[in-house]
Every structure is written in structure tokens, then in C-alpha cells.
Amino acid sequence: MLETALPHRQTLPHSAATRAPLVTIRNAKIRDLPALRELIGELAAHHGDAAPITAEDLERDLFGKMPWITALVAEAEGELIGHAILVPLYRAPQGLRGMEVNQLYVRPAHRGTGIGRQLVAKAREQARMAGCTYLSVSAATGNFQAHRFYESENFTPGPVTGMRYLQKLA
């Protein structure tokens, strides 16, 4: 299990007597499910979406018989303050494994402190350990802040072409 402890720079001024909290970037654990669900809900609300996902859904998809996703969390002082959700990808013609950063979120009070960069770094590490040759991420067309962030993390922008079709099962 990957775990990295990092000093966390606070965005608020603090005195010499106040120590910045320690941030740990690690794989999610079962005990994190309610807080992780809450973070997912915050990101959905930020985009004007609903998040009907339950802790049971997350348990199934992270720890069930056939794990579907990987979740990395950023924890400071016992509280989850960010997460990244990773989903496997595959390019069949080339036989290439990849990983998509499906969600990347840091609570507003902790943004600009490097936590997002640490989550991306841990996502890269996870993808490499899984034998992936690429990491993918997307951002809404008008989300220029996210575009700048991903480009600063050496992601190469590319156009999205074609249509995506969806068929409900069951």
C-alpha cells in the first residue's frame, strides 16, 4: 500500500508556534468510505450535478470481489481533504494499458498548497505499478484553471473527437 507523508503549507498565515498539519497521500481504506462519498458529492455539487453514490457503492467498487476503481486520498489531521479516483483504460490496437484520473478534488480551503500535485504524482506511481504506459485526464472545455494545472503537470492537451454513445443495461 502506498503512503506518503508530506508537509502541508497552510493558506492562512500562522505563527511560528503553529505547525502546519502533515498531509498523507494514500490508498483509500474501508473506514474512509463515508468521507470519500462526501468529497465526491462536493465535487459533483461544484459542477451542478447530483451524487447519488453510496458508501456501499464505493465499497463494492473499491474493495469488492472485482475492484473497479482505485481511490487515493489526501488526509490531514484525521480529515480527508482531497481525493483522486483512477479507472483503468485500454488501447486495444496498440495493446497499451492506461489509467484515467476520473476525479481529482481538493477542498477549497486546501487548494494552492500542492495537494493536487501530490495526488497526481501518486496516480502516476499507481499507474506505473499497474503496468500502464499512459495517464489520462479530462476537464470541461471552459475550465481554464484545470487546463493550466494539467498542462503544468506535463499532460498534453488533445482534442476530443467523435460522439460517445451510452446504452443503459438493466
Side-chain angles (χ1 to χ4, degrees):
M1 179 168 298
L2 300 171
E3 225 170 282
T4 304
L6 307 161
H8 170 62
R9 297 181 323 210
Q10 290 181 326
T11 54
L12 302 174
H14 58 281
S15 68
T18 305
R19 296 180 66 197
L22 191 63
V23 174
T24 302
I25 307 293
R26 60 174 174 76
N27 288 76
K29 299 176 181 175
I30 287 182
R31 71 173 189 251
D32 299 321
L33 296 178
L36 181 57
R37 193 206 60 72
E38 186 177 309
L39 288 169
I40 291 168
E42 288 176 23
L43 180 57
H46 173 76
H47 291 291
D49 297 326
I53 192 167
T54 65
E56 291 78 17
D57 294 331
L58 284 170
E59 183 173 359
R60 175 199 64 212
D61 293 337
L62 283 165
F63 306 109
K65 290 180 185 178
M66 182 183 257
W68 199 256
I69 61 174
T70 299
L72 304 173
V73 296
E75 181 180 35
E77 299 179 331
E79 176 189 1
L80 295 192
I81 59 172
H83 76 282
I85 294 189
L86 311 175
V87 181
L89 296 173
Y90 191 66
R91 291 186 178 168
Q94 297 88 15
L96 298 177
R97 286 182 176 190
M99 192 76 67
E100 178 179 358
V101 180
N102 180 264
Q103 286 199 335
L104 178 66
Y105 178 72
V106 176
R107 286 194 160 137
H110 301 280
R111 291 183 188 156
T113 62
I115 295 169
R117 293 187 190 288
Q118 294 301 320
L119 285 164
V120 169
K122 191 61 73 177
R124 277 190 205 103
E125 189 177 321
Q126 286 275 296
R128 285 185 181 118
M129 286 176 39
C132 296
T133 59
Y134 66 96
L135 191 62
S136 173
V137 67
S138 62
T141 304
N143 191 345
F144 301 115
Q145 184 177 3
H147 299 177
R148 285 189 300 275
F149 173 77
Y150 293 127
E151 288 175 21
S152 77
E153 285 295 306
N154 297 317
F155 284 90
T156 304
V160 178
T161 58
M163 294 293 295
R164 180 174 298 271
Y165 292 88
L166 178 71
Q167 181 181 76
K168 289 195 174 207
L169 302 175

